[in-house]
Amino acid sequence: MSRLLHISASPRGAASESLSIAGTFVDAYRETHGDVVDHYDLWDGSLPAFGPAGAGAKMTVFAGDDPAGEQAAAWEAARAVFERFDSYDRYLFSVPMWNSSVPYILKQFIDVVSQPGWVFAFDPADGYTGLLRGKKAAVVYTSAVYGDGRPPAFGADHQAPFLEGWLRWAGITDLGTVTFRPNLATADAETGRRTAHADARELGKRF
């Protein structure tokens, strides 16, 4: 049986468009598949920092040594997050657009789990190899102002290229997406909202 982890990057709770659409996906997924679905709210306070000790540990590992002291503690904290993430084979990301990109908490999550031997391997001659194989991901994207085909004054999309680029780099190439953008700076948000929920329902059924 597959296991689905919903990773949410919005702190807005019931007011969040991305969480609402993700909820429609999850309901359809459960009805169709009956699989285990868990929720990882990146704002719940459990995500560790990845600062000087963590960065030092990463470079220590790159050099072929074992982290010690503060570095070892940071590495163990990051490893716990990775092991939780890696124990699932299906992912749902709900991602609002912040300043044309993703919320910083999602970037922090990516920086915590993206470690050598976990998410990627590296060879000096051949470069990177993603290690998250046999997995698939669905992503719900929302934005208040940016939308496809809108002029530059309404922003740019560094949201989907960043996240999907990371997923493919990590080895996850089976991707499905749902978009609701813009959801604020538009004369008719309700039509786009209904379409996004319908798309999420269909993607959840066939995911």
Side-chain angles (χ1 to χ4, degrees):
M1 178 179 287
S2 295
R3 286 161 45 85
L4 173 70
L5 181 64
H6 171 204
I7 300 172
S8 61
S10 173
R12 300 189 67 231
S16 169
E17 297 278 13
S18 63
L19 279 170
S20 177
I21 296 166
T24 296
F25 175 102
V26 167
D27 288 345
Y29 182 88
R30 281 193 171 118
E31 290 170 5
T32 304
H33 302 286
D35 292 344
V36 172
V37 180
D38 291 324
H39 182 204
Y40 185 4
D41 177 3
L42 296 180
W43 298 96
D44 67 6
S46 65
L47 187 62
F50 199 77
K58 184 171 192 169
M59 299 315 295
T60 296
V61 171
F62 260 127
D65 295 324
D66 294 324
E70 291 184 353
Q71 289 188 7
W75 197 247
E76 289 170 7
R79 179 71 189 182
V81 177
F82 169 74
E83 287 180 350
R84 176 183 181 184
F85 174 63
D86 191 45
S87 69
Y88 297 82
D89 57 356
R90 302 288 185 270
Y91 303 111
L92 168 64
F93 292 84
S94 51
V95 186
M97 179 179 280
W98 283 18
N99 300 310
S100 295
S101 189
V102 302
Y104 71 85
I105 199 76
L106 179 55
K107 179 61 164 62
Q108 181 178 340
F109 168 80
I110 288 171
D111 288 340
V112 167
V113 301
S114 297
Q115 307 302 341
W118 305 355
V119 163
F120 68 90
F122 178 74
D123 180 85
D126 298 326
Y128 291 107
T129 300
L131 300 179
L132 300 183
R133 300 178 185 133
K135 301 175 185 285
K136 60 193 303 186
V139 187
V140 173
Y141 295 110
T142 60
S143 62
V145 175
Y146 169 79
D148 291 340
R150 296 194 133 197
F154 289 85
D157 182 13
H158 303 294
Q159 178 194 42
F162 168 74
L163 182 56
E164 291 173 30
W166 175 73
L167 287 167
R168 290 188 174 93
W169 173 79
I172 303 174
T173 57
D174 190 343
L175 303 176
T177 62
V178 175
T179 60
F180 177 30
R181 48 192 191 190
N183 59 40
L184 180 61
T186 176
D188 182 18
E190 189 54 37
T191 296
R193 183 178 292 110
R194 287 196 300 267
T195 299
H197 279 273
D199 291 346
R201 191 172 298 111
E202 288 305 309
L203 182 58
K205 289 177 181 179
R206 68 174 189 267
F207 190 66

